[in-house]
Amino acid sequence: MASSASEPFRAGYRPRIALTTYYQEGSWGVWNSVAAIVPGAYVEAVSAAGGTPLLLPPVGTDAGVLELVDGLIVIGGVDVDPRFYGAERHELTSSQPSRDEHDLALTRAALERGLPLFAICRGAQILNVALGGTLIQHLPDVNENAVRYQPEPGRYGRVAFRTEPGSRCRELLGVTAESPCYHHQALDEVAEGLVVTARAEDGTIEAVETTAGGWALGVQFHPEENRKDPRLFEGFVAVAHDHARGRTRSGGPAGALHREDTCTP
């Protein structure tokens, strides 16, 4: 009997999840050099949720590589350069424009393709800027209590937030949840095409989602550091799995995307 197109999934297909990376000084063994780096918590969270992590360093950017994967995670990192959203630089803003260009290009390409997209911390800011939104460059300037979001270098804060009814966040996390966080910037003007689906008690935007087409979720917090609560990663990998299965059933191989494909939330 001929095998069906969906058989690889019954056999334990693991969705291929691309992750953006840092590109900066690193060290290993006796060596110190510039390296493409991803904190282990991200790749461990993807693997634990049933995905196969693949790294996309911000060198030789080619959005066509998204044809080979089932989902994209835009990870955290330094501030987005304010020139990408038409603002003057704050004295405390620190950016890596080449990484911004890479992440913005991949984010826009994922949205155009309907590729499942999970944007974390800086990634949520990239998602907003990619669609025309703006950022608050230093939260303590507008909210003196916002120092709790980045209490000190190298130490995560913790944020509690409430999700919106009918949202992906509500479906995955329930009415309220909390998570580690580490940021001094946040979303300001939310781009057209996004809707706020979670806020902290002080009003800080904690999650945004696309309003039409595809599956895209941006969170301001760091769910990869919330080791005891894998629900967001499990939900994202499940959507990537379904997205890949849908392409396979329509005649394309798992891991190869087509521009006409979409993924329903």
Side-chain angles (χ1 to χ4, degrees), residues 5 24 35 49 54 74 98 105 124 135 137 146 156 169 184 189 201 205 212 227 229 232 249 261-262:
Q24 60 192 57
L54 304 171
V74 183
S98 62
L135 305 178
Q137 290 192 58
Y156 286 96
C169 275
H184 78 113
E189 180 181 344
E201 185 177 358
I205 295 171
R227 308 299 177 98
D229 187 356
L232 288 179
R249 285 178 172 172
D261 287 341
T262 59

Side-chain angles (χ1 to χ4, degrees), residues 108-204:
R108 289 170 177 145
L111 292 169
E112 290 171 1
R113 288 165 164 79
L115 182 69
L117 172 65
F118 189 15
I120 297 172
C121 196
R122 160 194 160 85
Q125 297 167 9
I126 284 282
L127 173 60
N128 192 46
V129 170
L131 291 173
T134 65
L135 305 178
I136 301 169
Q137 290 192 58
H138 191 56
L139 269 173
D141 288 347
V142 298
N143 175 7
E144 63 182 11
N145 294 320
V147 293
R148 65 192 177 92
Y149 295 126
Q150 194 178 68
E152 61 184 59
R155 184 167 74 88
Y156 286 96
R158 196 159 187 90
V159 62
F161 52 90
R162 185 177 185 87
T163 64
E164 291 295 324
S167 67
R168 297 176 187 121
C169 275
R170 175 66 64 89
E171 179 183 356
L172 292 171
L173 297 178
V175 176
T176 61
E178 61 178 57
S179 178
C181 62
Y182 190 83
H183 62 98
H184 78 113
Q185 299 195 343
L187 275 62
D188 188 9
E189 180 181 344
V190 176
E192 184 177 352
L194 295 177
V195 61
V196 176
T197 56
R199 288 185 185 269
E201 185 177 358
D202 63 9
T204 299

Side-chain angles (χ1 to χ4, degrees), residues 3 36 214 228:
S3 61
K228 295 182 179 180

Side-chain angles (χ1 to χ4, degrees), residues 11-150:
Y13 179 78
R14 295 176 66 90
R16 302 164 185 171
I17 306 300
L19 299 97
T20 60
T21 78
Y22 291 78
Y23 193 68
Q24 60 192 57
E25 193 76 17
S27 63
W28 56 96
V30 298
W31 304 104
N32 291 278
S33 183
V34 174
I37 300 171
V38 173
Y42 289 103
V43 293
E44 290 165 8
V46 168
S47 179
T52 298
L54 304 171
L55 308 188
L56 300 181
V59 177
T61 303
D62 176 7
V65 74
L66 297 183
E67 302 287 343
L68 306 175
V69 302
D70 306 313
L72 172 67
I73 295 178
V74 183
I75 71 168
V78 297
D79 305 327
V80 180
D81 194 305
R83 71 182 173 89
F84 289 105
Y85 52 96
E88 295 294 322
R89 179 180 294 273
H90 189 285
E91 62 181 356
L92 296 178
T93 293
S94 174
S95 61
Q96 296 175 336
S98 62
R99 187 177 169 200
D100 292 334
E101 292 168 357
H102 174 78
D103 289 3
L104 286 166
L106 292 179
T107 296
R108 289 170 177 145
L111 292 169
E112 290 171 1
R113 288 165 164 79
L115 182 69
L117 172 65
F118 189 15
I120 297 172
C121 196
R122 160 194 160 85
Q125 297 167 9
I126 284 282
L127 173 60
N128 192 46
V129 170
L131 291 173
T134 65
L135 305 178
I136 301 169
Q137 290 192 58
H138 191 56
L139 269 173
D141 288 347
V142 298
N143 175 7
E144 63 182 11
N145 294 320
V147 293
R148 65 192 177 92
Y149 295 126
Q150 194 178 68

